[in-house]
Amino acid sequence: MEAQEDCTIRRGQPIRRYQNDYKPDGHTSATMIVNQPQYLNVGRPTVRIAVYLVTGVFLIMDIEQNFTAHQILAVIQSEGELGLSRTSLLTGQTVFALWLCSSSLEVQLRPNHKPIEMAAKWNRLVRKYSSQSKESDEEPLLCLRRNVFLSRIDEEQIKEAKVLELLYAEARNNVLQGRYPCEGQARYASLGALQARIELGPYNPQSHTLAFFRKHRGRFLPHHYTSPSLLLGLGLGLGLVGGKGAPEARLLEQYKRIPNHTGTNANPRKLIRKYLEFCWSLPCYGAAFFQGQIERPVRGLASWITNRDMQVLIAINSSGVYIVDDMQCSLLLGLRYSELSWEMAKPSDEGNLDCLPCLFLQFPVRENGARVYKILQVFSRQAIMMDTLISGFTEEQRRHGANGDVANVDRLTDHSIGSNTGSFTNKLSKFTLATFDDEGRCIGQMGSWSFQ
């Protein structure tokens, strides 16, 4: 391939363990551009860049400035040590894609995007699509991550160990960051135990003690389990930390139960696949995440004084749209495309920075035996990006006729919503909603919600 003739690659040494999706914390020199443009003998400018992997290593590449994401991916996939060449394509979709990521914005690059050009205008993109209100000089990192358009069915066919390791590392990070919420401590304990077995090897009673897992709780359990407020709420902060009910104690018990089969020590591939199989069942798996905010329900006079907007993540994958409280690792709302209508609206006053675009999400619920429709308003500068992604996934479902429900996926102007209500556990009391009947009449409003 021509792209490979003008590009070299060097494997970098581990620079740090990424626990926050490559988001710079202000104390790292991590960057995409390693040096300034130089010139080849033929007169074409080149630049040295770093491509960051979820495993905590990076790749150094010398590329031409106008290289596309597709050309860079081709070079990475040709690197034999990474073991990615055999999985370059699955039913027309690559397993991995290049992303530009910073603390304010994450964007999966299209094959024809030019990362150097995109990075040069990153701050303009941040001001346009993020909640960053002040001038920012943050630099994005060029990352290799799972392709959001890769279907779970295709992913389940992957056998290559190196590819599975990268998918595992990304899933693990999303679990620990609260992006892949689970219901109940037991599930987090199971995932943490699998992670411990993969990364620590077989259980050793001398070294893998309760004290060890208490010290390293944040390495194996989501961040909300390490916060003092949660521990106090569970009654674990009053001398009970490390007791039988503590998260790390559950994790240790699960860890002990994992059998030590011959041959598993040298090759944890089966455990990695088991971890992924668990994650494949999670609603938010494989999603792209967007920053947004929702209006909190008003309860009492004090609520009007305090900030009533709640920061949330909006997770969008091939199955549906999800509202996630990543601080509490909680799935607040999950909607399959078969039960969803949506509409994107521009701000009424585009000159006012405090007036945000929004995404209206409409879905059916049952109240007092009757089916009604709720509409949630999600405010976000990334609303247009979410609208584009949802449109892409629903169009894909229409083409393939998935589950026979695709005809029900539509915009808010069409009230024909699927009858598959209650697919996920929804916490509607967390939201400020409007309610409509079958004929489209508004029969209930909350807070400052208004429909025009």
Side-chain angles (χ1 to χ4, degrees), residues 105-125:
L105 188 62
E106 302 173 18
V107 177
Q108 177 174 316
L109 301 183
R110 296 175 182 171
N112 63 338
H113 276 153
K114 297 179 180 180
I116 303 297
E117 290 183 3
M118 293 279 288
K121 58 182 180 181
W122 188 251
N123 287 318
R124 191 168 68 211
L125 295 174

Side-chain angles (χ1 to χ4, degrees), residues 169-403:
E170 185 167 342
R172 174 201 63 197
N173 288 357
N174 282 328
V175 168
L176 296 177
Q177 293 162 22
R179 292 187 163 198
Y180 288 173
C182 301
E183 293 293 333
Q185 287 189 45
R187 295 193 174 189
Y188 286 120
S190 297
L191 285 171
L194 275 173
Q195 180 191 339
R197 181 64 177 79
I198 293 166
E199 299 175 8
L200 302 177
Y203 168 68
N204 183 333
Q206 279 71 46
S207 55
H208 303 144
T209 63
L210 186 58
F212 170 84
F213 283 106
R214 188 184 308 145
K215 180 180 179 181
H216 299 283
R217 185 191 296 121
R219 177 180 171 184
F220 300 102
L221 292 168
H223 61 78
H224 77 300
Y225 278 118
T226 66
S227 66
S229 60
L230 176 88
L231 296 178
L232 285 170
L234 294 174
L236 301 176
L238 304 175
L240 296 178
V241 175
K244 288 185 177 181
E248 63 271 20
R250 290 171 177 249
L251 186 156
L252 177 57
E253 288 304 311
Q254 294 275 2
Y255 181 36
K256 290 178 181 179
R257 296 174 191 168
I258 298 177
N260 181 21
H261 296 303
T262 304
T264 305
N265 297 348
N267 185 5
R269 181 168 52 185
K270 291 183 179 179
L271 294 170
I272 285 176
R273 187 168 185 86
K274 189 173 183 64
Y275 189 100
L276 284 171
E277 286 174 352
F278 189 107
C279 290
W280 289 336
S281 68
L282 298 176
C284 296
Y285 184 79
F289 293 89
F290 303 89
Q291 298 176 359
Q293 59 196 64
I294 58 176
E295 185 181 359
R296 296 177 188 268
V298 176
R299 295 186 177 92
L301 181 61
S303 299
W304 287 102
I305 302 173
T306 59
N307 180 18
R308 289 181 287 114
D309 283 346
M310 176 182 181
Q311 301 298 320
V312 294
L313 288 179
I314 301 92
I316 301 174
N317 60 20
S318 60
S319 299
V321 180
Y322 310 89
I323 308 297
V324 177
D325 179 357
D326 60 321
M327 294 306 296
Q328 296 299 323
C329 302
S330 175
L331 177 62
L332 301 179
L333 179 68
L335 300 169
R336 293 190 187 276
Y337 292 123
S338 59
E339 57 186 5
L340 168 68
S341 292
W342 86 100
E343 188 68 80
M344 197 276 288
K346 294 182 179 180
S348 55
D349 182 3
E350 297 194 41
N352 184 354
L353 294 179
D354 294 327
C355 193
L356 301 178
C358 68
L359 197 68
F360 292 100
L361 301 177
Q362 177 180 282
F363 51 95
V365 298
R366 289 208 168 272
E367 284 186 349
N368 301 320
R371 186 170 74 165
V372 298
Y373 299 91
K374 300 288 186 179
I375 297 184
L376 171 67
Q377 192 172 11
V378 180
F379 299 93
S380 174
R381 296 193 192 282
Q382 299 172 9
I384 189 171
M385 301 168 70
M386 292 187 273
D387 176 58
T388 300
L389 189 56
I390 294 172
S391 298
F393 280 131
T394 55
E395 181 59 32
E396 184 73 14
Q397 287 198 358
R398 280 193 180 93
R399 285 200 297 266
H400 291 84
N403 301 323

Side-chain angles (χ1 to χ4, degrees), residues 13-130:
Q13 298 298 316
I15 53 174
R16 62 189 289 246
R17 180 177 293 276
Y18 292 99
Q19 296 293 344
N20 199 24
D21 267 343
Y22 312 110
K23 296 176 183 177
D25 55 12
H27 303 287
T28 176
S29 59
T31 184
M32 172 185 165
I33 307 296
V34 178
N35 66 5
Q36 295 299 314
Q38 300 180 10
Y39 287 83
L40 297 171
N41 293 333
V42 293
R44 288 176 294 185
T46 66
V47 64
R48 180 163 294 173
I49 65 169
V51 180
Y52 293 83
L53 276 61
V54 285
T55 50
V57 301
F58 63 93
L59 308 174
I60 298 295
M61 305 174 63
D62 294 318
I63 66 168
E64 292 184 26
Q65 282 189 281
N66 64 349
F67 261 30
T68 64
H70 172 75
Q71 289 174 303
I72 297 174
L73 267 178
V75 177
I76 295 173
Q77 289 170 339
S78 69
E79 181 67 11
E81 186 180 353
L82 293 178
L84 303 181
S85 57
R86 292 177 59 195
T87 57
S88 58
L89 287 176
L90 285 174
T91 64
Q93 287 293 351
T94 55
V95 177
F96 298 103
L98 289 178
W99 293 66
L100 280 177
C101 304
S102 71
S103 60
S104 303
L105 188 62
E106 302 173 18
V107 177
Q108 177 174 316
L109 301 183
R110 296 175 182 171
N112 63 338
H113 276 153
K114 297 179 180 180
I116 303 297
E117 290 183 3
M118 293 279 288
K121 58 182 180 181
W122 188 251
N123 287 318
R124 191 168 68 211
L125 295 174
V126 167
R127 289 194 296 271
K128 183 176 181 180
Y129 293 115
S130 82

